[in-house]
Amino acid sequence: MANEQQPGKQLSAKGAARRRFTRAGAAASGVLMTLHSQPGMAAIVCATPSGHASALISARNPDALSCSGLSPGVWSQSLKPRGKNGNTPGHLSWPISKDKKFGSLFTTGKAIGQATFEQVLGNNDPVFDPDNLGAHLVAAYLNVLSGRSSFQNEYMLVNIWNNLRDYGVYHPAANVDWKGKDVVAYLKSTML
Amino acid sequence: MAQQWCIVPGQLLRSRSWDGQSVLYNEVSGATHLLDEPMLELLHALRDGSLEAEDWDDPELQQTFAALAKLYLVHPC
């Protein structure tokens, strides 16, 4: 093999480093988690679910940067008109229509599937949205689309939903079981 | 010619390691990063000037450095 050390030939330190990085290092390594310390605020963990549940899981893409997700309440409030006459648009523009159906992304036969994103955010009925999971997934999705949570993506959120819907549990890592409230706790930790 | 990268000035790469993982304090952002061992070794190699032309030409390494740049750990030089 071309990369094998020749008998009797000492491998230089630089050569060893190069082989390690190019053959295995960069592809398999990464920044697993970033703990931001912000003055006056609680530390915020920015990580994928696997990185959050187990630091042993390697995040292939160390692009775990943007960790300024907004909560369901903030996204909901942002739609409310402002000003004395109520004719000033909300303080935050949504990256997608507020009327997008929850079920168009997070498929389900339950009532929440027919509700719009705006309605899901505004409905705290525990029967309609147990653990407020739907509201937090909507907020997380909006955070992804608006670039506030670059360490998550749409497919990750849909996968969480599908697993909880079909099996009642999501496995962020081997031997780690998350129920709906655990997922909500994780999603909350990625929001300001 | 491939992009070359340097450690951001002020980064001291202060870290503690155990069981193949390390925590690294980011002097610029104030964040603490949990890294695996190859990543810390890569940063040390960059600081020590141990990377060679073959490394800079590696697209995966370039992608890794671009991601590290967003953490303010490295920058183009």
Side-chain angles (χ1 to χ4, degrees):
Chain A
M1 286 172 62
N3 283 329
E4 282 185 351
Q5 192 174 347
Q6 296 293 321
K9 183 179 177 183
Q10 194 66 32
L11 189 66
S12 70
K14 286 185 178 180
R18 182 173 66 251
R19 280 165 176 76
R20 187 168 57 246
F21 297 140
T22 55
R23 289 170 59 189
S29 69
V31 176
L32 306 176
M33 186 182 294
T34 292
L35 183 67
H36 288 291
S37 299
Q38 299 183 20
M41 299 178 66
I44 300 164
V45 174
C46 301
T48 58
S50 59
H52 184 90
S54 168
L56 299 177
I57 305 298
S58 174
R60 188 180 179 89
N61 180 1
D63 193 7
L65 306 172
S66 179
C67 183
S68 53
L70 302 179
S71 68
V74 171
W75 279 114
S76 180
Q77 287 296 318
S78 73
L79 291 173
K80 299 209 178 338
R82 298 176 296 166
K84 191 162 52 178
N85 299 322
N87 54 7
T88 304
H91 67 276
L92 195 67
S93 64
W94 278 37
I96 54 167
S97 168
K98 64 184 174 57
D99 297 323
K100 182 180 175 72
K101 289 282 177 62
F102 182 84
S104 69
L105 186 65
F106 305 106
T107 56
T108 176
K110 295 185 176 175
I112 191 173
Q114 296 303 314
T116 66
F117 273 14
E118 181 184 22
Q119 290 167 335
V120 171
L121 288 179
N123 192 335
N124 292 321
D125 182 347
V127 176
F128 173 79
D129 185 16
D131 299 314
N132 255 338
L133 173 66
H136 283 86
L137 283 172
V138 167
Y141 179 60
L142 294 171
N143 290 332
V144 168
L145 292 184
S146 61
R148 289 176 167 83
S149 297
S150 60
F151 51 95
Q152 295 171 329
N153 60 53
E154 169 185 344
Y155 305 105
M156 186 188 300
L157 299 173
V158 170
N159 185 46
I160 289 174
W161 172 260
N162 289 345
N163 276 271
L164 287 172
R165 179 198 61 202
D166 296 340
Y167 310 113
V169 65
Y170 168 69
H171 301 289
N175 302 318
V176 179
D177 296 347
W178 279 3
K179 300 288 182 58
K181 61 180 172 42
D182 303 309
V183 169
V184 168
Y186 157 68
L187 293 175
K188 280 183 175 175
S189 78
T190 68
M191 297 170 185
L192 295 174
Chain B
M1 187 174 174
Q3 176 67 57
Q4 296 198 8
W5 300 82
C6 295
I7 299 292
V8 167
Q11 291 290 7
L12 302 178
L13 301 185
R14 289 192 289 183
S15 64
R16 294 289 183 273
S17 301
W18 69 96
D19 291 341
Q21 293 189 322
S22 305
V23 287
L24 173 75
Y25 180 66
N26 188 323
E27 312 277 348
V28 175
S29 69
T32 302
H33 306 294
L34 177 64
L35 316 172
D36 52 16
E37 197 168 5
M39 181 60 76
L40 186 62
E41 290 179 0
L42 177 63
L43 289 169
H44 285 164
L46 185 64
R47 178 193 62 190
D48 300 340
S50 301
L51 299 183
E52 299 181 354
E54 184 180 331
D55 299 314
W56 301 126
D57 289 337
D58 185 328
E60 279 192 287
L61 272 190
Q62 285 292 335
Q63 193 177 1
T64 297
F65 282 129
L68 290 173
K70 294 179 181 176
L71 293 172
Y72 310 106
L73 289 169
V74 305
H75 70 140
C77 57

